Amino acid sequence: MKFFVDTGEIDEIREAAKLGILDGVTTNPSLVAKSGRKYKDLVKEICDVTDGPISAEVLSTDYDGMMFEAHEWHKVADNVVVKLPLIEDGIKACVTCTKEGIKTNVTLCFGPTQALLAAKAGATFVSPFVGRLDDIAYDGLELIREIRKIYDNYKYKTEILTASVRGPLHIRDAALAGADIATIPFKVFGQLLKHPLTDVGLKKFVEDSAKIPKGTMILERDKALKH
Ligand code: G3P
C-alpha cells in the first residue's frame, strides 16, 4: 500500500518524508487555504521534498477553466498530478488529460458508479472519501470494497486512493480491502506506529539489557558513539 500525506503544511510533509515511507502528497483547496500559501508556490516547494505524485486540485468548475489549470500544473513538474472533481466537466477534463498524457486524481468520489466513470475516463487515481461517508452513517469502507471489485472485474488501471481518512482503522480496513493508496492526515501517521504493548515490552527489554554483561560489541558501540 502506498502512503500519501494529506496536507497543505510543508513542515508536516517534511516530517512525513523523514520517516522514509512517504510515497506522495495530496492537497485540496481547503487544505491550501488553511496553509495561507499561494497554491503554485506551495506545490513547487513540495516538489523539492518528494518526487512522488503530488495532487494539485483545479479551482475551476468548468471544462475550459479546468483544462487551463491542468496545463499550468503540468508545466510545474512531471510528478504534479491534476486533481479534478467528479462532476461532468471534471470527467470530460479527465478524458482530455488522459489523451494528453497528464496524470489525474479524480476526487470527491462517493459512489461506485462515480468511480467507474473515473476509470473509464482514464484517471490515474480515484479518491473515494471514506471519512465523509462515515460522518453521515454510510459505510465508507464498503465503497472501497465495491470499487476494488469493479476495477478488478474490468482490469482498470486506475489506482484507488483512499481519502478523507479519520484514523488508523481506516488504513487497516482500506489495506484489507485492497486499496492501492491511502492519503493520510499527518497526525494519523503517528497513530499507525504507536502501540502501548510495544512501549511496555521495550521498556522491559531495556531494563533486562542492563543486566547482560557488556560484551565487546556494546563496549565498542559506546566508545564509537561516546555513550
Ligand atoms: O484531500 C482529500 C480528502 O482527504 C480530504 O478529506 O474529509 O479530511 O476533508 P477530509
Side-chain angles (χ1 to χ4, degrees), residues 6 26-28 31 83 129 132 163-166 183:
D6 194 32
T26 55
T27 70
N28 67 45
L31 292 170
K83 218 175 182 186
F129 279 36
R132 293 192 193 185
S164 189
V165 164
R166 295 285 187 269
T183 193

Side-chain angles (χ1 to χ4, degrees), residues 119-130:
K120 282 186 67 61
T124 313
F125 307 108
V126 67
S127 289
F129 279 36
V130 297

Side-chain angles (χ1 to χ4, degrees), residues 83-180:
K83 218 175 182 186
L84 298 161
L86 223 160
I87 57 174
E88 185 176 337
D89 278 30
I91 292 295
K92 286 176 182 170
C94 183
V95 170
T96 304
C97 286
T98 302
K99 286 176 184 157
E100 294 181 7
I102 299 172
K103 288 188 171 64
T104 53
N105 176 359
V106 172
T107 190
L108 288 169
C109 175
F110 294 96
T113 55
Q114 288 182 314
L116 181 53
L117 283 173
K120 282 186 67 61
T124 313
F125 307 108
V126 67
S127 289
F129 279 36
V130 297
R132 293 192 193 185
L133 283 166
D134 288 358
D135 292 347
I136 60 165
Y138 281 71
D139 184 346
L141 263 299
E142 182 55 23
L143 175 57
I144 301 290
R145 287 186 282 271
E146 289 172 341
I147 298 172
R148 179 74 284 155
K149 182 89 178 98
I150 290 168
Y151 282 14
D152 292 351
N153 285 348
Y154 298 94
K155 297 181 176 45
Y156 284 127
K157 295 280 180 282
T158 300
E159 292 189 73
I160 303 170
L161 198 170
T162 307
S164 189
V165 164
R166 295 285 187 269
L169 293 185
H170 273 160
I171 310 297
R172 178 199 68 185
D173 294 340
L176 287 169
D180 300 285

